[in-house]
Amino acid sequence: MSAHIEAETVRPVRSWKLSENTRDRLISIASPILLLLVWEIAARTGLIDTRFFPAPSSIFETLVTLSSTGELWQHTAASLQRLFIGFLVGGIPALILGIIMGLSRPVRAVFDPLISATYPIPKSSILPLALLIFGLGEGSKIFMVAIGVFFPVAINATAGVREINKIYLDVGRNFKASRWDTFRTIALPGALPVIMTGIKLGVGMGLVLIAIAEMMGAKSGLGYMIWAAWETFSVEQMYVGLFVIAIIGFVLTLVLNEIEKRLVPWKR
Amino acid sequence: MNQALAKKTTVRDDVATESRERPAIRIKGLSKRFGSFTAVDNVTIDIARGEFFMIVGPSGCGKTTLLRILAGLEAPTDGSIDVSVEAGSQRPVNSMVFQGDSIFPWMTVWDNAAYGLKMRRAPQAQIKEVVGHYLDRTGLLKFADAYPHQLSGGMKQRVSIARAFANDPEILLMDEPFSALDAQNKLLLQEELLRIWEENKKTVLFITHDVDEAVKLGDRIMVMTAQPGRVKTVVPVSLPRPRDVLELQQNPEFGKLVHQIWSSLRDEVQRARELDEAKGVRK
Ligand SMILES: Nc1ncnc2c1ncn2[C@@H]1O[C@H](COP(=O)(O)OP(=O)(O)OP(=O)(O)O)[C@@H](O)[C@H]1O
Ligand SMILES: [Mg+2]
């Protein structure tokens, strides 16, 4: 009897209530809008200095102008291309080296000290050296991104492989998996969750470094656009650059999360 | 499957004619030391082809170590192992069902069960047939596309067993495959295992802490001593086959054997505990 009563009282309540997910999503959309609104009002009423904090509406105007002339897209495309190539150039060797380091003690013994010694160097401080070696062209920019991606991916790949329960490697041996099979069927998939974390870190690092690299001796890219804005005191353009970089970072995170979901379906 | 079954019938004929001369496994004076610690000490035993051989002994007495040596995962310090395979056999020598959770979390049930055959580059048609057969026998066919995290503990254990059987080895090494299961699931899996085993009578080495289980499944039971692990006694089980694990418990012979094994084991478990306490190790 009581079960019956319960069922009837519970049902209407549930249909009125938003699910927690929907509620959280609404809040996370509403809060930036609210912030922009406050900012706009503060800028218009002169509460904040518009030389440093121009109203969002005027930033938006600049964004529309810059994108209608095609300038914004050209810079965005240049940065994205460098980011992508740098990601491959740094990420693929890092992945292979990292996994092999995880599997093989001698290889680890060779590379571990090298990586430990070079990892703490702030990547941005390598920029002058990169300019010296690769010149002002694409090479130095791609190199900077590659460096940023390399370390987190290599370090996480090694850690990921080493964290794989030894029993899985024993299973591989017992079922006569070849070296390549062990790499392909055990080391890589077993380490993938940790590797994905490394890739996310690496992409974030690459984004930071591409912006910095483009401020020095570049003629295109979002970093260049921001730097040029500083030189011409175009604060709005500066904000547009920052805004687009933020959007890129945000979208890349979403994309990588989606990729992770597909590549790692066995993790809840 | 027909072809495989036909092959297995010939294996059974072999047992009758050859087993006395040519045991499947001949272990001679086998020892394993880790540094100064002796895990396995001078184990000598012959295991016949098609025999279901049980190993019991107190925790830490070297049972897993013994099996790992047989599986080629560990090198013996002393002694030798001879594994005789049928002339011209293409089958792998052994497959192990590991103690604890060992199925790959990143593969579906199907891919886990197919692992050995895939590593051997078996033809696709054979993989489909054999894996399908053993997933069916273990009641997992419906879960072929599931990932391990979606399975219960008992189902995972069955995947592990299907993986070893599907590899079609000469010898099956099973390290406490049922120890993590509740009593009901254990009983069901014991029945399933016996049914699958009756199909082709592979040589099985099976470690357990469960004396009832040892008597229910085994042809012979080897009791090992506490550290270092030696052969204390080997008890033959003359209960008729095929066995019904439920009916068996009514059998007076069953009770006698359980009692015999238990009393032999009890002293060793007691001694293992004293050894551990002396070392200040809590098990
Ligand atoms: N690689 C190793 N290095 C050092 N000691 C080891 C190693 N492997 C096992 N041992 C030791 O050897 C002894 C036997 O271990 P083993 O795993 O074979 O025991 P077991 O009989 O399977 O125990 P259980 O019933 O608890 O599974 C243990 O004392 C263990 O600590
Ligand atoms: Mg063990």
Side-chain angles (χ1 to χ4, degrees), chain A residues 164-168 170-178 180-182 184-186 189-190 265-268, chain B residues 68 71-73 94-96 98-107 115-116 119 121 147 149 163-164 167:
Chain A
I164 296 175
N165 194 335
K166 247 186 62 53
I167 201 164
Y168 299 130
D170 283 342
V171 173
R173 278 213 280 161
N174 188 235
F175 285 88
K176 301 285 178 284
S178 65
W180 166 242
D181 283 331
T182 307
R184 188 176 60 86
T185 64
I186 301 172
W266 65 90
K267 286 265 159 159
R268 274 154 292 188
Chain B
R68 286 177 61 86
L73 296 172
N94 69 72
S95 298
M96 186 138 166
F98 288 82
Q99 184 170 8
D101 215 354
S102 76
I103 59 172
F104 300 120
W106 50 86
M107 289 182 198
Y115 191 71
M119 292 303 104
R121 305 287 182 269
Y147 283 97
H149 75 80
R163 177 172 71 186
N167 200 31

Side-chain angles (χ1 to χ4, degrees), chain B residues 164-275:
Chain B
F165 270 93
N167 200 31
D168 193 24
E170 303 271 350
I171 299 162
L172 271 165
L173 306 171
M174 307 183 80
D175 193 354
E176 301 189 33
F178 304 148
S179 62
L181 303 181
D182 60 85
Q184 291 95 336
N185 261 306
K186 197 180 215 177
L187 202 69
L188 287 175
L189 278 183
Q190 287 167 348
E191 268 174 2
E192 269 168 20
L193 176 64
L194 277 182
R195 272 209 316 270
I196 300 173
W197 180 76
E198 292 283 350
E199 277 181 4
N200 48 35
K201 294 265 168 87
K202 284 182 188 304
T203 311
V204 178
L205 269 75
F206 189 116
I207 297 176
T208 182
H209 280 286
D210 180 340
V211 175
D212 283 25
E213 180 168 80
V215 177
K216 279 178 201 162
L217 302 180
D219 290 321
R220 280 190 299 163
I221 301 166
M222 172 167 97
V223 182
M224 289 179 73
T225 63
Q227 304 153 18
R230 296 195 184 102
V231 182
K232 183 172 189 188
T233 145
V234 179
V235 181
V237 180
S238 52
L239 297 163
R241 289 191 191 272
R243 294 181 190 161
D244 180 323
V245 289
L246 258 185
E247 293 297 308
L248 217 53
Q249 295 181 355
Q250 314 279 353
N251 191 321
E253 176 70 12
F254 174 84
K256 248 189 266 169
L257 280 163
V258 169
H259 180 82
Q260 183 187 348
I261 304 289
W262 248 124
S263 38
S264 171
L265 197 55
R266 190 176 45 200
D267 305 343
E268 296 307 321
V269 175
Q270 188 61 38
R271 213 162 62 76
R273 190 186 281 183
E274 280 159 15
L275 280 166

Side-chain angles (χ1 to χ4, degrees), chain A residues 30-85:
Chain A
S31 67
I33 292 178
L34 197 69
L35 178 73
L36 285 176
L37 212 64
V38 171
W39 182 355
E40 181 76 34
I41 292 167
R44 290 200 180 192
T45 54
L47 226 62
I48 52 174
D49 191 336
T50 50
R51 283 174 308 167
F52 308 135
F53 306 104
S57 58
S58 69
I59 297 173
F60 186 71
E61 255 170 59
T62 314
L63 186 131
V64 171
T65 323
L66 281 173
S67 64
S68 66
T69 60
E71 205 181 328
L72 182 62
W73 306 125
Q74 182 204 325
H75 289 308
T76 307
S79 292
L80 282 178
Q81 188 183 335
R82 288 165 186 153
L83 197 60
F84 182 69
I85 297 175

Side-chain angles (χ1 to χ4, degrees), chain A residues 184-225:
Chain A
R184 188 176 60 86
T185 64
I186 301 172
L188 182 62
L192 210 49
V194 186
I195 291 174
M196 277 311 295
T197 310
I199 288 178
K200 287 186 202 168
L201 286 171
V203 168
M205 189 57 115
L207 201 57
V208 170
L209 288 171
I210 194 62
I212 293 176
E214 284 171 347
M215 289 181 187
M216 304 283 157
K219 284 281 162 275
S220 64
L222 291 166
Y224 165 75
M225 198 181 96

Side-chain angles (χ1 to χ4, degrees), chain A residues 18-142:
Chain A
L18 287 172
S19 85
E20 289 199 344
N21 272 338
T22 325
R23 191 199 60 198
D24 291 353
R25 205 165 301 156
L26 282 179
I27 291 176
S28 61
I29 293 171
S31 67
I33 292 178
L34 197 69
L35 178 73
L36 285 176
L37 212 64
V38 171
W39 182 355
E40 181 76 34
I41 292 167
R44 290 200 180 192
T45 54
L47 226 62
I48 52 174
D49 191 336
T50 50
R51 283 174 308 167
F52 308 135
F53 306 104
S57 58
S58 69
I59 297 173
F60 186 71
E61 255 170 59
T62 314
L63 186 131
V64 171
T65 323
L66 281 173
S67 64
S68 66
T69 60
E71 205 181 328
L72 182 62
W73 306 125
Q74 182 204 325
H75 289 308
T76 307
S79 292
L80 282 178
Q81 188 183 335
R82 288 165 186 153
L83 197 60
F84 182 69
I85 297 175
F87 172 74
L88 295 183
V89 169
I92 292 172
L95 189 64
I96 295 170
L97 178 67
I99 292 180
I100 294 176
M101 278 174 68
L103 288 172
S104 156
R105 278 178 76 121
V107 177
R108 194 156 65 238
V110 171
F111 288 100
D112 215 18
L114 294 178
I115 288 186
S116 310
T118 48
Y119 176 59
I121 300 173
K123 307 297 167 291
S124 47
S125 66
I126 304 173
L127 181 56
L129 187 65
L131 288 171
L132 206 60
I133 298 172
F134 297 100
L136 293 173
E138 292 300 290
S140 54
K141 320 284 175 304
I142 290 168

